[in-house]
Amino acid sequence: MPSLEEELFPSTPGKFKIERTHHMNRQFHRCFSSSSTMFLWTLFLIALTASYFSFQSFVSSGSRYLTASWGGIQWEKQVRTSAQIHRQGGMSVLVTGAAGFVGSHVSLALKRRGDGVVGLDNFNDYYDPSLKKARKALLSTHGVFIVEADVNDAKLLAKLFDVVAFTHVMHLAAQAGVRYAMENPQSYVHSNIAGLVTLMEACKSANPQPAIVWASSSSVYGLNEKVPFSELDQTDQPASLYAATKKAGEEITHTYNHIYGLSITGLRFFTVYGPWGRPDMAYFSFTRNILQGKPITVYRGKNRVDLARDFTYIDDIVKGCLGSLDTSGKSTGSGGKKRGPAPFRIFNLGNTSPVTVPTLVSILEGHLKVKAKKNVVDMPGNGDVPFTHANISSARIELGYKPTTDLQTGLKKFVKWYLSYYGYNHGKPVN
């Protein structure tokens, strides 16, 4: 008795027994009484198959649209809600780097005064992303929605500008840190140059074009020895790749201002510190190591000269950022075509009172009530500069910028936040 497999697929193809062939012919004849009927059945099966795959594709596309990390009905609703303006004459601001140190403070300040704010951040791991997530959670409680994506994502930026007609962009996303550039130079080019260009392209193509305020850096002054540093000084001697990318950013933004009529304000920040700060900054790492009983490394310059920085408290920086947004003026382009000249400005935002690093350590010791174990060494050739000192006269005149927090007061506020955030009680960790 032949098996079913043998019945359907004979071992010698093409050699059917006569009686089996007659039987199969009768079966086919019953199902398809003519060749035209077979043709119609074939068309029907093809159409049915095509319809099935089209439906599957539609369902799959819809599913991706609804569940993607960005995009979809719910996502657009969150973006629009976060961007809503709640004060007369307010603005709608896209803040890049919103989960960062300065970005989170600026976003919160804008939201509190009634402006619309949408954040953008890629939550990279340059330092502990959990701190960025905590800032995001804080902003969320105040109604600020942060899109998790990279500023190099041109499609995402186009979508954001399609969903919201942003009046302003506060561009704070960047790869920070002077020394890290020696380990990962590509990250600086990716974020500080390519990311900036991607954002400029989105802004110049937007209709209406937003006004742009962005974070340059005091690092652009590089090896400049004239003090205090003025916006009129030459900045063609960068001491680090980080500084070079920020200098490049100033030239790039000038180009977009000149060609496309984008209103652009660059802010040269001077050593920003305070609550929710960056763990890679000296004051932050000093605090951590002092509390843990670990030694701290204090660099000194040539001829044993103490390094000095123009430490600027975060609240003062935020005032400068908001003042820049408020006075930015309008972009003059439309759909990438310039109609007239637009503002292009650069300001120093500092405290204009440099303090030596040993003095910083002494203040921290007083607030922490713990003596630091110090290793004093000569500054290596890693891109750091011996001092910074800001001339802020232009910002005073045009922005009404006036720093009010000295280092003693600012560090006291930082230490209070640090002990609370990391669970310390009287200088000891809480179990």
Side-chain angles (χ1 to χ4, degrees), residues 27 40 75 82 161 221 228 235 242 245 261 275 342 372 429:
Q27 294 299 321
L40 291 174
W75 180 85
S82 189
F161 280 105
Y221 291 108
T235 53
Y242 168 70
T245 61

Side-chain angles (χ1 to χ4, degrees), residues 149 173 260 267 319 388-389 426:
Y260 300 109
L267 302 177
K319 291 174 187 175
T388 60
H389 184 184
H426 301 296

Side-chain angles (χ1 to χ4, degrees), residues 261-299:
L262 287 173
S263 169
I264 295 177
T265 302
L267 302 177
R268 293 173 178 171
F269 294 157
F270 281 72
T271 316
V272 190
Y273 73 99
W276 296 98
R278 278 175 27 213
D280 64 309
M281 297 289 285
Y283 73 95
F284 201 115
S285 62
F286 285 174
T287 300
R288 180 178 60 245
N289 287 355
I290 290 172
L291 286 171
Q292 294 176 358
K294 298 178 180 179
I296 62 173
T297 299
V298 178
Y299 294 120

Side-chain angles (χ1 to χ4, degrees), residues 131-338:
L131 183 58
K132 299 176 184 180
K133 295 291 185 181
R135 296 187 191 120
K136 177 184 178 181
L138 174 64
L139 290 175
S140 180
T141 63
H142 289 81
V144 177
F145 178 61
I146 297 181
V147 178
E148 187 166 350
D150 195 289
V151 73
N152 280 284
D153 191 336
K155 290 183 179 179
L156 166 66
L157 292 177
K159 181 65 176 178
L160 282 171
F161 280 105
D162 181 56
V163 174
V164 176
F166 292 106
T167 60
H168 295 75
V169 170
M170 187 78 212
H171 180 46
L172 298 168
Q175 176 58 62
V178 169
R179 299 168 196 169
Y180 183 61
M182 299 180 71
E183 301 175 31
N184 188 3
Q186 290 81 7
S187 66
Y188 289 78
V189 176
H190 174 81
S191 297
N192 301 357
I193 296 179
L196 178 62
V197 171
T198 303
L199 180 64
M200 290 297 107
E201 283 291 303
C203 291
K204 64 99 170 175
S205 300
N207 193 8
Q209 289 179 336
I212 302 161
V213 178
W214 74 286
S216 182
S217 170
S218 61
S219 295
V220 300
Y221 291 108
L223 302 178
N224 179 29
E225 294 183 354
K226 172 183 168 293
V227 291
F229 299 160
S230 167
E231 295 91 342
L232 299 177
D233 294 342
Q234 285 189 310
T235 53
D236 56 0
Q237 291 182 303
S240 67
L241 179 62
Y242 168 70
T245 61
K246 287 299 185 178
K247 173 61 177 176
E250 293 186 353
E251 305 304 327
I252 289 168
T253 53
H254 182 273
T255 301
Y256 275 86
N257 166 265
H258 173 68
I259 297 176
Y260 300 109
L262 287 173
S263 169
I264 295 177
T265 302
L267 302 177
R268 293 173 178 171
F269 294 157
F270 281 72
T271 316
V272 190
Y273 73 99
W276 296 98
R278 278 175 27 213
D280 64 309
M281 297 289 285
Y283 73 95
F284 201 115
S285 62
F286 285 174
T287 300
R288 180 178 60 245
N289 287 355
I290 290 172
L291 286 171
Q292 294 176 358
K294 298 178 180 179
I296 62 173
T297 299
V298 178
Y299 294 120
R300 62 188 174 194
K302 293 179 180 179
N303 302 318
R304 298 176 178 266
V305 174
D306 292 331
L307 303 187
R309 293 289 181 269
D310 201 341
F311 295 101
T312 314
Y313 189 63
I314 182 62
D315 289 359
D316 291 328
I317 288 291
V318 169
K319 291 174 187 175
C321 289
L322 268 58
S324 298
L325 290 168
D326 292 338
T327 61
S328 60
K330 293 186 178 181
S331 294
T332 61
S334 177
K337 295 182 179 180
K338 178 180 176 181

